[in-house]
């Protein structure tokens, strides 16, 4: 299938403000592009692109004073298949993991493994190793947290989400990632587009989505604790330890988000 996606995001800055933007699709998906995906600005902006330590495509800008709108529109090829499910994917012994994967076993800003380790082993210690254990984590998180966009909290950690029992997609992802890491399963946070493709449309404004990947059987597999069902049409933008590493924008000065429109839908 073909998917049309993009966004219009605007920031109001009272002074020249350096910003990091993670608004490009992930380099691994660029081979699927049917039209260019380029960040466009409605006014002259100093821009420099680079690839960060996690392999994500980033941009550095100096946003001028006033209102600046950032946009992109593109069409991308997608297999049209739901997320892969592989119940035979095994769990690695820690000593057998690749060096570059070990960082995804450690605690991070929003994944406070030290506060959830005892719970994780008590709750999932008898679950089947490998795919079955990750799925057990997803089932638990899916049923434990209530989605409520109005109660989003940018400072809420995985432990906070577990305690509050409410949150948005990032809270589902943070808690699932943290529990997997506590169980010695490498897990990384993902952000990207997830339109209502193959499912009944949701009557609410679209946002970017958060999910996670677990390292099983020598590769990364996609899991989604919020929806807890294989979905069609994910477009990956970035991966990292948690939301800190994949924030769509990081401002080094005052900047007010004044517009946020995201689209992702199948091209008929």
């Amino acid at each position: 299938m073909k998917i049309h996606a993009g966004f219009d995001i605007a920031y109001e800055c009272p002074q020249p403000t350096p910003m990091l933007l993670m608004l490009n699709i992930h380099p691994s998906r660029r081979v699927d592009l049917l039209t260019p995906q380029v960040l466009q600005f409605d006014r002259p902006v100093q821009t420099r692109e680079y690839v960060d330590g996690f392999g994500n495509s980033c941009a550095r800008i100096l946003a001028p004073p006033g209102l600046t709108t950032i946009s992109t529109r593109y069409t991308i090829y997608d297999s049209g298949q739901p997320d892969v499910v592989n119940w035979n994917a095994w769990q690695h012994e820690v000593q057998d993991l690749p060096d570059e994967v070990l960082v995804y076993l450690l605690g991070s800003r929003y994944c406070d493994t030290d506060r959830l380790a005892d719970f994780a082993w008590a709750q999932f210690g008898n679950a089947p190793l490998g795919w079955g254990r990750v799925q057990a984590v997803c089932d638990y998180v899916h049923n434990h947290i209530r989605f409520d966009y109005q109660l989003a909290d940018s400072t809420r950690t995985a432990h906070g989400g577990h305690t509050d029992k409410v949150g948005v997609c990032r809270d589902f992802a943070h808690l699932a990632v943290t529990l997997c890491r506590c169980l010695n399963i490498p897990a990384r946070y993902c952000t990207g587009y997830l339109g209502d493709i193959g499912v009944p449309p949701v009557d609410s404004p679209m946002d970017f989505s958060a999910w996670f990947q677990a390292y099983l059987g020598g590769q990364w597999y996609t899991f989604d604790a919020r929806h807890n069902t294989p979905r069609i049409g994910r477009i990956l933008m970035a991966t990292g330890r948690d939301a800190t590493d994949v924030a769509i924008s990081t401002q080094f000065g005052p900047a007010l988000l004044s517009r946020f429109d995201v689209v992702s839908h199948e091209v008929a």
Side-chain angles (χ1 to χ4, degrees):
M1 67 168 58
K2 298 177 182 179
I3 298 175
H4 181 73
F7 60 79
D8 297 290
I9 300 175
Y11 292 95
E12 179 81 32
C13 300
Q15 62 192 39
T17 303
M19 300 175 68
L20 301 181
L21 303 176
M22 203 166 293
L23 291 167
N24 289 312
I25 66 170
H26 194 267
S28 65
R29 291 303 309 267
R30 288 199 168 271
V31 68
D32 297 322
L33 283 171
L34 300 174
T35 62
Q37 186 267 296
V38 180
L39 296 184
Q40 297 179 325
F41 302 85
D42 67 340
R43 52 204 306 228
V45 174
Q46 300 178 29
T47 308
R48 182 170 69 83
E49 296 193 358
Y50 70 100
V51 176
D52 70 7
F54 298 99
N56 304 312
S57 176
C58 310
R60 297 178 62 175
I61 71 168
L62 181 64
L67 184 67
T68 300
T69 299
I70 311 165
S71 304
T72 193
R73 289 290 188 279
Y74 61 93
T75 303
I76 191 169
Y77 167 81
D78 190 83
S79 69
Q81 299 298 312
D83 302 323
V84 173
V85 176
N86 181 7
W87 286 93
N88 295 318
W90 70 90
Q91 181 173 334
H92 295 261
E93 297 290 343
V94 172
Q95 63 269 24
D96 297 329
L97 289 167
D99 297 341
E100 65 272 14
V101 171
L102 292 176
V103 67
Y104 299 109
L105 288 178
L106 307 178
S108 55
R109 164 68 179 86
Y110 291 104
C111 298
D112 35 1
T113 52
D114 55 332
R115 304 189 70 181
L116 286 165
D118 290 343
F119 170 81
W121 283 106
Q123 181 73 25
F124 305 105
N126 293 323
L129 291 173
W131 191 280
R133 187 163 289 191
V134 179
Q135 187 57 57
V137 167
C138 288
D139 292 342
Y140 175 82
V141 175
H142 178 76
N143 293 318
H144 185 77
I145 294 181
R146 175 177 59 86
F147 184 87
D148 190 333
Y149 195 77
Q150 301 303 316
L151 294 178
D153 182 349
S154 62
T155 66
R156 183 185 288 127
T157 66
H159 183 265
H162 191 248
T163 301
D164 296 343
K165 299 182 180 180
V166 70
V168 292
C169 55
R170 62 178 271 158
D171 298 298
F172 287 81
H174 281 147
L175 181 54
V177 165
T178 303
L179 294 173
C180 285
R181 291 180 186 174
C182 290
L183 298 166
N184 295 334
I185 301 171
R188 64 188 184 187
Y189 184 98
C190 303
T191 188
Y193 300 80
L194 181 60
D196 297 327
I197 300 175
V199 297
V202 177
D203 187 22
S204 60
M206 186 179 168
D207 196 349
F208 293 118
S209 186
W211 59 88
F212 75 102
Q213 294 174 344
Y215 190 81
L216 299 169
Q219 67 183 83
W220 292 101
Y221 286 97
T222 294
F223 291 87
D224 188 334
R226 179 197 167 185
H227 297 102
N228 204 28
T229 188
R231 291 288 297 269
I232 298 171
R234 294 184 196 273
I235 306 174
L236 181 67
M237 294 171 68
T239 66
R241 294 167 297 181
D242 56 33
T244 302
D245 296 328
V246 303
I248 63 170
S249 67
T250 302
Q251 302 88 22
F252 299 91
L256 176 66
L257 180 65
S258 61
R259 181 181 180 185
F260 188 84
D261 298 316
V262 180
V263 297
S264 180
H265 58 81
E266 181 182 0
V267 178

